């Protein structure tokens, strides 16, 4: 294993120290493992809190800032944060209008965020939860009951964050977050496994000429393994899986995320995007907005995920609203 780390035991703490040094606009509690905006939450504004295992950067800490999250809780690598972290984050950023928890559908995250929500309610904080479950590759996995939460997390956090910023109430912010999740579908393919620092070896074995079709962001098995093929054939299958689960009609508009899993060059991600754009154009579907890059990663896994979100005027308006975070910034 070749990695730029000091010790496998200190990976998360050392990374948080780096975030603190690089982003003085954030308040990073390395000991309690909470990343929050340095500025206090505006009175009356709904606060957004998310989190999950580390190893998926820039998700979630990279999305803390005006227009998106108020706080994030990073767990150990591929391990859910604990309820105490989530509670500390929620209490720390509550501005009196309540807290929305954005939770990816993994068993540990769901249980721990549920416990944190109950504890926060006992403290007098109003809490709503949006569960993200956009991955159509498998119905259940070794980590979940139901579909996994992946790339749509970014869409939910951005759009619900914008709704909170414009002053929507807690129920309205939660509703738009759930609407984004319901409108989003994702599918991923791995070319190689990621290597967790603690294990020091790849998370799963994948022959050099094969790909894992429908892989999860922790390396969970997908639908099948097959030989590597040209990008256009792989992308066609990925998009077909997405559209089989959520068909789109000619004339519709979508948000598209072509997301690297951590070890794929931008050159290849743009090749993927070109194929996605051509296929959707052939169906008469217009890509209204897009992102291409590494946003929801799986350590150093080589591969790509595609997320498509059916858009409407309100979602596009909220998507275009200013955002100022380490990993997503426009309109400021």
């Amino acid at each position: 294993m070749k990695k730029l780390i000091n010790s496998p035991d200190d990976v998360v703490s050392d990374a948080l120290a780096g975030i603190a040094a690089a982003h003085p606009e954030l308040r990073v509690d390395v000991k309690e493992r909470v990343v929050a905006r340095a500025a206090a939450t505006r009175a009356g504004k709904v606060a957004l809190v998310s989190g999950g295992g580390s190893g998926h950067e820039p998700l979630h800490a990279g999305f803390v800032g005006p227009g998106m999250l108020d706080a994030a809780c990073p767990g150990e690598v591929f391990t859910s944060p604990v309820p105490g972290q989530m509670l500390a984050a929620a209490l720390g950023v509550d501005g009196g209008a309540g807290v929305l928890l954005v939770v990816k559908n993994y068993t540990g995250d769901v249980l721990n965020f549920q416990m944190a929500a109950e504890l926060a309610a006992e403290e007098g904080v109003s809490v709503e939860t949006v569960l993200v479950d956009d991955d159509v590759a498998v119905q259940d996995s070794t980590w979940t009951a139901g579909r996994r939460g992946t790339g749509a997390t970014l869409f939910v956090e951005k759009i619900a964050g914008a709704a909170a910023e414009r002053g929507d109430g807690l129920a309205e912010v939660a509703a738009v977050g759930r609407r984004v999740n319901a409108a989003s579908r994702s599918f991923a393919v791995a070319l190689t496994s990621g290597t967790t620092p603690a294990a020091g070896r790849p998370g799963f074995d994948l022959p050099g000429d094969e790909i894992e079709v429908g892989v999860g962001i922790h390396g969970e098995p997908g639908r099948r393994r097959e030989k590597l093929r040209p990008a256009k054939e792989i992308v066609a299958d990925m998009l077909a899986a997405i559209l089989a689960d959520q068909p789109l009609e000619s004339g519709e508009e979508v948000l598209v995320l072509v997301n690297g899993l951590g070890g794929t060059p931008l050159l290849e991600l743009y090749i993927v995007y070109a194929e996605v754009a051509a296929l959707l154009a052939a169906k008469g579907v217009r890509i209204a907005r897009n992102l291409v890059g590494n946003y929801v990663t799986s350590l150093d896994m080589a591969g790509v995920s595609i997320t498509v979100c059916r858009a409407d005027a309100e979602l596009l308006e909220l998507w275009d609203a200013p955002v100022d975070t380490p990993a997503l910034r426009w309109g400021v």
Side-chain angles (χ1 to χ4, degrees):
M1 177 180 71
K2 286 183 178 177
K3 288 189 179 294
L4 287 173
I5 63 175
N6 296 313
S7 162
D9 294 334
D10 298 327
V11 166
V12 176
S13 296
D14 288 354
L16 289 175
I19 292 173
H23 297 287
E25 73 276 17
L26 300 179
R27 176 165 40 89
V28 181
D29 188 329
V30 176
K31 182 179 178 182
E32 298 297 330
R33 298 193 172 180
V34 174
V35 179
R37 302 186 198 183
T41 304
R42 185 178 77 242
K45 174 193 167 301
V46 171
L48 268 70
V49 174
S50 192
S54 294
H56 305 301
E57 292 71 23
L59 186 80
H60 297 276
F63 299 145
V64 175
M68 221 162 165
L69 297 178
D70 292 84
C73 314
E76 289 295 331
V77 173
F78 291 175
T79 301
S80 171
V82 297
Q85 276 177 270
M86 301 162 179
L87 178 63
L91 296 180
V93 299
D94 177 38
V99 176
L100 178 70
L101 304 178
V102 180
V103 184
K104 300 190 303 301
N105 188 30
Y106 297 98
T107 303
D109 288 343
V110 172
L111 292 175
N112 288 341
F113 268 108
Q114 184 177 11
M115 188 177 299
E118 292 170 357
L119 294 171
E122 291 176 4
E123 297 284 343
V125 177
S126 299
V127 178
E128 289 270 2
T129 297
V130 173
L131 188 67
V132 183
D133 60 351
D134 54 308
D135 185 354
V136 302
V138 292
Q139 182 56 44
D140 297 293
S141 83
T142 51
W143 295 59
T144 68
R147 295 191 309 218
R148 303 173 292 217
T150 58
T153 312
L154 184 157
F155 289 159
V156 171
E157 292 177 357
K158 170 64 187 77
I159 292 173
E165 214 70 61
R166 75 179 177 187
D168 288 11
L170 180 58
E172 288 74 24
V173 175
V176 79
R178 292 178 186 125
R179 188 152 65 89
V180 172
N181 177 61
S184 300
R185 298 290 188 274
S186 296
F187 198 93
V189 166
L191 279 64
T192 69
S193 168
T195 297
T196 58
R201 62 181 182 279
F204 58 90
D205 296 323
L206 188 60
D209 62 344
E210 293 185 3
I211 60 175
E212 180 78 32
V213 179
V215 72
I217 58 173
H218 307 98
E220 307 99 310
R223 291 182 171 182
R224 64 184 182 276
R225 287 188 175 183
E226 62 181 38
K227 298 294 184 184
L228 180 64
R229 296 177 288 147
K232 64 172 56 179
E233 296 179 16
I234 296 172
V235 173
D237 284 354
M238 296 171 74
L239 202 56
I242 290 170
L243 297 182
D245 200 90
Q246 180 157 270
L248 295 171
E249 302 294 331
S250 177
E252 289 196 282
E253 293 186 316
V254 294
L255 303 170
V256 167
L257 168 64
V258 169
N259 170 64
L261 298 178
T264 299
L266 197 55
L267 179 80
E268 296 174 32
L269 298 182
Y270 276 118
I271 290 172
V272 170
Y273 183 77
E275 298 298 333
V276 173
L279 289 167
L280 288 177
K283 294 180 179 295
V285 175
R286 189 177 85 86
I287 300 177
R289 308 289 187 273
N290 70 76
L291 283 177
V292 181
N294 289 289
Y295 293 99
V296 184
T297 62
S298 182
L299 292 170
D300 53 352
M301 180 186 289
V304 64
S305 64
I306 298 169
T307 302
V308 177
C309 174
R310 175 183 281 123
D312 58 31
E314 184 189 22
L315 297 192
L316 290 178
E317 178 183 340
L318 291 169
W319 179 258
D320 290 341
V323 59
D324 188 7
T325 73
L328 218 59
R329 186 173 190 274
W330 59 69
V332 293

